Amino acid sequence: MRAVRRTPRYGTLNPDFTDETVIVTGGASGIGREIAQQFGDAGATVIVADLDEEPKIGDTPTHERIEEEGGEAAFVRTDVSERDDIVTLVEAAREYGGVDVMINNAGLFIEGSILELDPEDFEAIHNVNAKGVYFGTQVAANDMLDRGEPGTIINTASMSSHYAQYDQVQYDSTKGAVRMITRGSALELAEHDIRVNAVAPGQIATEFAEGWSEEAAEKAANDELIKMIPLGRAGTPEDVAPAYLYLASDAAQYVTGELLWVDGGWQVF
Ligand code: NAD
């Protein structure tokens, strides 16, 4: 197994999002928390949208942490499965000049075989992962058009956007939808100068499902996970967040409809 190199060797990027307003749904915890933090570090005004203000790991809410470090941030309690909540969220961004970057990242995970699908679980997971992204895209794009400002939208997809896993048909179907919401919206919104892309994280150590971060560490310690990931380790939110900054930036001005894998090479198998 090759050694994993963590020290930057090829230089670093210094993103600057001063005067930009970024909404991050699911920004209280996990991947969204790190995305919000990195945009805050890059000078953006960050609006954290989540059901919960408190993070699952750590004790300072994301927006407070950004403010403590000298940034500007706010929290808007939002249930992304409710379109009205998304409208309120996007309106709240007007106070900061309006949303420039909309990140539809909130997600839910429910396991279960196709043979035993519970209709209520089906609705719950589709309402958050698919409907939340669909209306997050729609409401943000309309607001950008109303303000006459271009913008960009980034959705959180998954390995599950392409690949099936046992007992994950519900989750897979929502993430497959995210992929096509991204592509379809990219097609329609290009003429309005709104780019729409997705990031597909691999196995990232968060508490997405309870005990997941420890499970990933345990699998990695047993080599079970490492065998599937060419770069030799599970990912972290810190590995994933820069992809969102790249896609939001002018460096990606000719990129739309893309699904960017950030998975340590997992999907190449
Ligand atoms: P997480 O549980 O740490 O974060 C998800 C956040 O979404 C939480 O803060 C939660 O409160 C919020 N949320 C859930 N339902 C919501 C709702 N209805 N409205 C608003 N907020 C809601 O998990 P994570 O791993 O950071 O997941 C973030 C995204 O990354 C999800 O879309 C997930 O599908 C995706 N993803 C995660 C992994 C992974 O390995 N962790 C891999 C691929 C994709």
Side-chain angles (χ1 to χ4, degrees), residues 25-32 49-52 56 78-81 104-108 128-129 156-159 171 175 200-209 212 244:
T25 74
S29 290
I31 295 170
D50 206 297
L51 287 174
D52 301 315
K56 293 181 182 176
T78 307
D79 179 349
V80 298
S81 66
N104 295 305
N105 164 77
L108 196 62
V128 177
N129 296 10
T156 299
S158 167
M159 293 283 290
Y171 183 71
K175 291 297 179 177
Q203 173 89 52
I204 309 303
T206 67
E207 281 299 289
F208 188 35
W212 242 30
Y244 293 79

Side-chain angles (χ1 to χ4, degrees), residues 29-35 38 204-206 235-242:
S29 290
I31 295 170
R33 178 168 165 86
E34 183 61 25
I35 296 168
Q38 292 197 12
I204 309 303
T206 67
T236 63
E238 291 79 2
D239 289 319
V240 180

Side-chain angles (χ1 to χ4, degrees), residues 214-227 232-234:
E214 286 118 59
E215 209 182 291
E218 217 172 278
K219 275 195 206 159
N222 293 333
D223 243 12
E224 210 183 307
L225 187 65
I226 290 177
K227 266 186 247 150
R233 63 182 173 89

